[in-house]
Amino acid sequence: MSQELKQETAEQPESGLHSKGLSTGTVGVVGLVVIGISCIAPAYTLTAGLGATVAVVGTSLPAILLAGFIPMLLVALGYRELNNAMPDSGTSFTWATRAFGPMIGWMGGWGLIAATVIVLSNLAAVAVDFFYILLAQLTGNQAIADLTKNLWVNIPTTLVFIAAAAYISYRGLNATKVFQYVLVGFQVAVLLLFAIMAFTSSTPFDRTPINLDMFNPASVDSFAAFAAGISLSIFVFWGWDVTLTMNEETTDPAKVPGRGATWTVLVIIALYLAVSLGVLYWAGVGQTGLGAGNEANQESIFAVLSGPIMGPLAILMSLAILSSSAASLQSTMVSPARTLLAMGYYKALPPSFAKISPRFMSPSVATVVSAAAAAVFYVVTRLISENALWDTITALGLMICFYYGITALACVWYFRSELFTSVRNFFFKFLAPLIGGVVLLVMFFSTAIESMNPDYGSGSAIGSVGMVFILGIGVLLLGVAIMLFTKWRHPAFFRGETIKTR
Amino acid sequence: MNLLVGYTADQRGAEALELAAALVQGTATPSLTIGIVVPATTPFSAIYPGGDHGFDSILSAKVDEWAVTALAQVPQGVSAKVVARSVSSVAEGLIELAEEVGAHGIVLGGRKRHRAGFFMPGAVANALLHASPVPVFMSSPQALASLRAANGQITRMTAFVGDRPGAREVIANAAKFATIRKVALRVATLVADSDVSDPATELDPHLVRTKTFLTELTESMGLQASIEVISRQSLDEAIDSLTWEAGEIAILGSSRLAASRRLFVGAKAQRILGKLHVPMAVIPN
C-alpha cells in the first residue's frame, strides 16, 4: 500500500519536454526563411529605421545597409557556436556569465532586456500610429490619423496595445505556420509593390538618380556618421541570427540552417535595397516637404510616403506595418520575460521573477514587469522627447551593439582553450566573433559619445546632454544600480553559486 | 480504478487531485496518473531575440518540482505517478495520456465563471467534453465542499437522463460506478413546463409516462435505483429543487449525444452542469 514515487519527466525523452514535442524536424529552407523574415519584420524595421538612417548618412543609405550586415553576420556566427555548445542554457545572460563571470553576464542580460523593452515600446508606438492611419484610410476621414499625435489618445492606446500583447504572451498563444506564411508573404509583397510604384511614379517629389556612389561606404561624410549608420542598420537586421540558431527544428540540421540563413539575408537585402533606393529615387534626401531628409518624416517614413507614392493602395502598406508590428510586439514580449525569468531562476534577480504560471506555463511576474517597463519607457520618452520614435530607435541601436558586442566577445573567451585547434574554430569561434564584437563595441562607444551632443538624433536634450545618451546610458546605469542592489540583497548568483563559470 | 488527473500546480489542481483520490479510494486497485501538460512551442512562433532563453530547462525543472508537490498530496493507499507531456493543446495532451495509461476517466479542477447569467465550464473542460473518449470528472470549490462534508466518501450517484431510449447508456455507466463504489443510484429527470406544448393538459400525462419509462428501464437492467421526476415551471427551478446528499456525484451524458437525447441539448445541459454544486461526470457514449 505504499505510494509509488514515480516521475517520468526527467528520464523519458519521449515525454517531450526536452525534445520540444511536435516541433522536431519540421522546418525546411522555405519555412526557415519565413521564420527569419518574420523575426526581422521588414515592414516595421524599414518604417522605423529608414528615416533615422537617412538622417545620418544621406544618400549612402544602401551602402550602410550592406555594411551593417557584416558585423551582424560576424556576431551571429559566434552566437551559433555558443548556441551549439550550450543549447539549453539560454542566451546572452547565461553565455556571458559562463564566459566572463556574474557581473558582465548580468549586464549582458540587462542589455538584452533593455533592447527588447525599448523595441517593445517602439513596436507598440508604430502599431498605434498605423492603427489610426488605417482607420483614417478605411473611413476616409483624415482627422482620425492625426489622433495619434494627441498624447491623450496616443498614450492610452499604446498602453492598451502593450497590455494586450503581454496578456497574449502570458496565455501562451502560439503563432501557427499558416499565420506566419500569410503575414510574411503579405509584408514582402507590399514592400515590393511600394518599391515598384516609387520607381514607376510619373511625379516623384524629388527625382534623385541612382548612382554607384550610393553603394560606397567610403562616401559617408564622417566616421561618426558611419558608426551611427551601422548601429542603426544593425537594428534592421536584428532577428536574422535566429535562422542560424535553429537546428533541431529543421529537417536537416547540417544543411537547412545555412541555406535558410543565406536565403533570408538575400531576400532581406534585396528588399531593403529595393525599398531604400525607391525612397531615395522618389523623395531624395532633401530636408523639406516629402524629402527623406526632412526631420518630420523620419519618425515613420512610410506613414508619410506611402500615401503619395501608392495612392489608394497605401492602405495595404498600413495593414502590412500594423500586422507586422503587432505580431512582433507579441512575440518579442516573450523575450525579456524569459530573460528576466532566467535571471530570477539563477538568483541574479529577486526569486519572484522566477515564477511560472502553473496554468499557462509562462513567466508570470517577469511578463508583467516587462510590459510595465515597456509602458513606462514609452510614456517617459513620449513625454520628454520631441521625436520619441526616432530617439528610441537610436537608443535601441546602442543597446543592441552593447549586448551583441558582449555576447560575441563571450564566445571568444568561452572557447579560449580551443580557438586554435582547427581552422574552423579559428574562424568561427575566434576571428569572426572577435571582429564583430570589437566593431560593435566601438560603434557603441562612438555612438554613445556622439549622442551626448544635444543636437544628436531628434535634437531633444535635457540640460545640455542629448536625449539619446540619456535614454541609452541612463538605462544601462539603471541596470548597474539594480545589479548592485541585487548583489547586496541576493548575493548567491554573484558568488558564482548558481551558474558555474568556465 | 485508474484516473488521470489534469494537474496544474495551483488550487484547482489540488482540488482535482482531491476529487480523483476520493473517486478511486475503495476500488480494487486505486491508482492515479497525474498528468502535467506543457504547451508545446512551434518553431513558427520563434521567440526573438535570444531564442528559448533556457526556458525549456527551467520549465522542466519546475515541472519536477510540481510533480513532487502533487505526489505529496496523494493520500496513503493510492498509488500515483506523474507524467509530463508537451503537446500543443492541453485537452489533446490529456486525451493522449488517458488512452496511453488506460485511464477510466479524466479528472479536472476548475472555477465556475459567471458568463451571461449562467455558469460555463472552462476552456479545457469544454474541449474535453466534446472530444474525450473516457468520462470527464469536474470539480469546483463548492463541489469539493460537498465532498468534504462527507469526509471525502462518495455516498450516491445521480444519473441525469431524458425520457428517450438513449438514457439507458447513461444509467448503465452510472450504475457501473455505483457498483464499484458500492453506493446507491438515483436517476433524475428534469421537466420544465416548456417541454410540452400545452402544460395544462399535457404535463401530467408526460410526467407519468416518463416515470413509468424510467422505472421499467431500470428494472429491465436489473438495477436498484430511486427515480425522481422533477417538474417545475423552468429548468433552473427544477435544478434548484433537486436535493443532494453530501458526497454525491452527478453523472450526465456528453453533449456529443445531443442529437439523440433531448434533455441534454445545448444550453440545457450546460445549464445543469453550471448549476450543480456537487462533483460531476460527463460520460461519452
Side-chain angles (χ1 to χ4, degrees):
Chain A
M1 281 287 165
S2 72
Q3 204 160 294
E4 184 189 4
L5 269 168
K6 191 172 167 191
Q7 289 182 35
E8 300 188 10
T9 50
E11 59 270 25
Q12 278 200 342
E14 65 269 29
S15 69
L17 270 178
H18 301 289
S19 63
K20 297 191 182 172
L22 299 173
S23 66
T24 312
T26 55
V27 181
V29 174
V30 177
L32 196 54
V33 172
V34 168
I35 292 170
I37 296 179
S38 85
C39 284
I40 296 174
Y44 156 73
T45 51
L46 281 174
T47 199
L50 215 53
T53 316
V54 169
V56 286
V57 299
T59 54
S60 303
L61 178 62
I64 281 293
L65 283 177
L66 290 173
F69 175 67
I70 293 167
M72 161 58 93
L73 169 69
L74 297 175
V75 172
L77 291 173
Y79 252 80
R80 184 177 63 171
E81 298 305 319
L82 287 169
N83 193 58
N84 289 345
M86 300 177 266
D88 291 335
S89 65
T91 173
S92 298
F93 163 65
T94 30
W95 295 342
T97 304
R98 294 238 170 120
F100 293 130
M103 303 274 266
I104 295 180
W106 202 98
M107 285 311 290
W110 180 259
L112 174 68
I113 293 168
T116 43
V117 162
I118 293 173
V119 82
L120 282 176
S121 79
N122 191 269
L123 279 162
V126 170
V128 167
D129 279 357
F130 282 89
F131 171 68
Y132 283 112
I133 292 173
L134 186 65
L135 282 185
Q137 285 163 337
L138 284 173
T139 58
N141 181 357
Q142 186 51 38
I144 295 179
D146 294 332
L147 275 179
T148 193
K149 297 192 178 100
N150 177 345
L151 293 190
W152 288 104
V153 175
N154 180 293
I155 290 180
T157 319
T158 310
L159 297 186
V160 168
F161 271 61
I162 292 176
Y167 180 72
I168 293 173
S169 64
Y170 172 66
R171 290 293 302 256
L173 300 181
N174 281 328
T176 62
K177 183 175 175 176
V178 175
F179 176 77
Q180 290 293 13
Y181 271 71
V182 170
L183 211 61
V184 165
F186 181 62
Q187 251 187 100
V188 171
V190 171
L191 289 173
L192 280 179
L193 181 68
F194 173 87
I196 292 168
M197 292 181 87
F199 276 114
T200 55
S201 163
S202 54
T203 54
F205 171 75
D206 174 15
R207 209 174 85 85
T208 310
I210 305 304
N211 58 52
L212 273 182
D213 215 32
M214 289 179 174
F215 295 90
N216 178 10
S219 65
V220 180
D221 300 340
S222 65
F223 176 74
F226 185 78
I230 293 287
S231 75
L232 281 168
S233 58
I234 295 275
F235 158 69
V236 301
F237 289 108
W238 200 36
W240 174 75
D241 49 325
V242 83
T243 52
L244 276 185
T245 52
M246 278 210 175
N247 278 327
E248 57 200 85
E249 293 92 339
T250 61
T251 46
D252 181 358
K255 292 179 184 152
V256 171
R259 288 181 189 170
T262 312
W263 278 109
T264 305
V265 78
L266 289 179
V267 170
I268 281 292
I269 286 186
L271 203 56
Y272 282 180
L273 287 182
V275 171
S276 58
L277 289 174
V279 167
L280 290 179
Y281 173 82
W282 194 91
V285 291
Q287 304 199 342
T288 54
L290 295 174
N294 184 347
E295 289 202 359
N297 302 345
Q298 283 168 353
E299 240 190 355
S300 183
I301 196 98
F302 291 137
V304 183
L305 292 185
S306 63
I309 292 179
M310 302 179 81
L313 293 181
I315 197 167
L316 294 178
M317 182 60 95
S318 309
L319 206 55
I321 297 171
L322 177 60
S323 59
S324 124
S325 49
S328 290
L329 179 64
Q330 191 269 312
S331 65
T332 309
M333 186 67 82
V334 181
S335 180
R338 286 192 175 177
T339 297
L340 285 171
L341 177 91
M343 291 176 80
Y345 182 77
Y346 294 112
K347 311 236 162 47
L349 280 174
S352 60
F353 282 89
K355 280 190 185 153
I356 293 181
S357 154
R359 241 184 116 198
F360 304 120
M361 311 272 174
S362 62
S364 49
V365 173
T367 305
V368 174
V369 169
S370 311
V376 168
F377 185 86
Y378 180 74
V379 173
V380 169
T381 23
R382 185 51 94 179
L383 290 180
I384 61 178
S385 167
E386 295 160 27
N387 198 330
L389 290 185
W390 186 5
D391 286 343
T392 312
I393 284 299
T394 316
L396 171 63
L398 262 183
M399 221 52 75
I400 299 176
C401 286
F402 176 77
Y403 91 80
Y404 258 36
I406 288 186
T407 313
L409 296 185
C411 171
V412 178
W413 194 243
Y414 182 80
F415 293 114
R416 61 188 179 275
S417 59
E418 48 191 279
L419 292 179
F420 304 103
T421 53
S422 75
V423 177
R424 195 195 169 280
N425 281 357
F426 176 75
F427 281 109
F428 289 123
K429 292 177 179 165
F430 175 68
L431 199 59
L434 180 71
I435 297 174
V438 168
V439 166
L440 287 187
L441 288 177
V442 167
M443 298 298 157
F444 169 77
F445 285 112
S446 156
T447 312
I449 292 166
E450 193 67 17
S451 67
M452 291 173 80
N453 185 334
D455 295 331
Y456 191 84
S458 69
S460 302
I462 295 177
S464 57
V465 182
M467 186 69 196
V468 172
F469 182 84
I470 297 196
L471 285 179
I473 304 304
V475 166
L476 287 180
L477 288 179
L478 178 67
V480 172
I482 295 176
M483 176 175 75
L484 293 177
F485 174 80
T486 315
K487 189 178 179 195
W488 169 54
R489 292 299 301 269
H490 306 273
F493 167 75
F494 296 93
R495 290 188 195 130
E497 289 166 13
T498 55
I499 297 183
K500 297 271 173 285
T501 51
R502 190 172 183 184
Chain B
M1 188 161 68
N2 178 25
L3 291 176
L4 173 71
V5 183
Y7 186 77
T8 51
D10 53 10
Q11 194 58 35
R12 81 174 64 203
E15 288 169 6
L17 208 50
E18 193 176 336
L19 171 61
L23 287 167
V24 295
Q25 267 175 327
T27 64
T29 48
S31 77
L32 296 179
T33 306
I34 300 168
I36 301 181
V37 178
V38 178
T41 53
T42 75
F44 285 91
S45 52
I47 307 309
Y48 191 80
D52 156 78
H53 296 257
F55 186 67
D56 265 4
S57 22
I58 295 176
L59 186 57
S60 66
K62 205 78 177 181
V63 168
D64 291 350
E65 232 174 77
W66 289 337
V68 174
T69 321
L71 289 173
Q73 294 167 20
V74 178
Q76 279 298 319
V78 176
S79 80
K81 64 172 179 176
V82 178
V83 183
R85 174 65 51 93
S86 173
V87 182
S88 60
S89 119
V90 176
E92 205 181 290
L94 289 175
I95 290 173
E96 253 183 55
L97 284 175
E99 285 176 338
E100 276 174 33
V101 302
H104 297 97
I106 301 173
V107 189
L108 295 175
R111 299 285 171 274
K112 289 179 174 175
R113 279 168 290 178
H114 213 271
R115 203 174 284 168
F118 57 97
F119 297 103
M120 302 272 288
V124 173
N126 230 349
L128 280 180
L129 290 185
H130 292 89
S132 175
V134 293
V136 177
F137 295 85
M138 288 174 290
S139 71
S140 63
Q142 304 97 308
L144 267 186
S146 145
L147 187 61
R148 283 178 192 147
N151 284 326
Q153 294 298 314
I154 299 196
T155 53
R156 187 164 70 164
M157 298 278 171
T158 294
F160 278 94
V161 294
D163 56 357
R164 297 296 168 96
R168 172 186 280 270
E169 281 170 21
V170 178
I171 296 175
N173 274 302
K176 204 167 75 193
F177 273 104
T179 314
I180 294 173
R181 299 307 316 270
K182 304 180 188 71
V183 294
L185 175 66
R186 172 169 75 154
V187 176
T189 296
L190 305 178
V191 182
D193 283 3
S194 57
D195 285 351
V196 289
S197 49
D198 181 10
T201 57
E202 293 173 24
L203 190 59
D204 287 339
H206 176 76
L207 295 178
V208 172
R209 258 201 325 273
T210 307
K211 179 125 192 175
T212 318
F213 166 72
L214 291 175
T215 314
E216 286 170 2
L217 181 63
T218 46
E219 278 170 5
S220 76
M221 296 166 77
L223 296 173
Q224 286 270 324
S226 58
I227 313 277
E228 283 188 39
V229 179
I230 310 278
S231 165
R232 291 291 183 278
Q233 206 170 8
S234 73
L235 183 67
D236 282 355
E237 287 172 47
I239 301 169
D240 288 342
S241 56
L242 208 56
T243 54
W244 295 93
E245 290 176 8
E248 187 153 11
I249 307 275
I251 295 182
L252 293 86
S254 144
S255 54
R256 192 162 62 161
L257 312 173
S260 58
R261 286 174 204 186
R262 201 168 56 95
L263 193 71
F264 292 97
V265 167
K268 214 169 181 181
Q270 294 277 23
R271 230 178 167 88
I272 295 176
L273 280 177
K275 290 217 99 189
L276 296 184
H277 298 297
V278 295
M280 298 164 268
V282 179
I283 294 178
N285 62 351

